[in-house]
Amino acid sequence: QVQLVESGGGLVQPGGSLRLSCQSSQRASSSGTVGWFRQAPGKEREFVATIRRGDNKKYYGDSVKGRFTISRNNRENTVYLEMNNLRPEDSATYYCAATSSNLILSSMGRKEYYNYWGQGTQVTVSS
C-alpha cells in the first residue's frame, strides 16, 4: 500500500507563491504517474498537474498553465508543485495522487485513473 503525504500549504496573499510537496512511502520506480488535484468547498475535485515517471512527461490543467510547475525528485520519492502568481480562486485543498501505471495523455488528468491519494493540504489565497 502506497502512502502519500502532502505538505507546504498555507495562507498567502494574491500574487504570492507556495511550494507543495508530496512524499511517497514507496521507492520511486521507472514507471508510474503522480499528480495534483484540488477541491474547493462545494466544487468537484479538479485536475491541476501531473508528471509521468517513465519519460518525465508533464501535463497541466488550463487554469494553472504558465503559473504552476510540477517536478520530482526520485531520490527523495517526492513530487513538488511550485505555485506562482496565486489567485483567490486557487484556494482549495490540494491532494496528491499516484498510480503505478504510465498513464496516456488522455487519462493523465482524470482522477479515476489514480489509485492512491493523500489526505490533502489546504491552500488559502487571500489578502
Side-chain angles (χ1 to χ4, degrees), residues 15-118:
S17 299
L18 280 176
R19 188 176 80 158
L20 305 183
S21 300
C22 171
Q23 183 153 27
S24 170
S25 62
Q26 187 179 60
R27 182 179 175 183
S29 67
S30 60
S31 65
T33 308
V34 180
W36 289 93
F37 291 76
R38 66 187 182 187
Q39 189 167 19
K43 294 189 176 181
E44 292 285 321
R45 192 165 294 193
E46 175 191 19
F47 168 69
V48 176
T50 190
I51 185 167
R52 195 163 60 193
R53 290 199 186 110
D55 57 1
N56 212 38
K57 174 72 176 177
K58 302 173 185 179
Y59 181 53
Y60 296 92
D62 289 340
S63 61
V64 305
K65 281 180 183 175
R67 300 188 298 123
F68 291 12
T69 302
I70 191 169
S71 62
R72 61 187 172 94
N73 184 324
N74 285 346
R75 186 172 56 186
E76 297 179 354
N77 302 332
T78 303
V79 171
Y80 302 98
L81 184 69
E82 186 76 35
M83 306 186 295
N84 297 314
N85 193 21
L86 283 160
R87 305 166 180 168
E89 54 265 38
D90 294 317
S91 297
T93 300
Y94 283 70
Y95 297 92
C96 179
T99 172
S100 58
S101 302
N102 281 326
L103 297 178
I104 60 175
L105 186 58
S106 61
S107 300
M108 290 175 80
R110 298 176 63 178
K111 56 184 181 292
E112 59 265 35
Y113 286 95
Y114 293 82
N115 308 107
Y116 307 104
W117 292 83

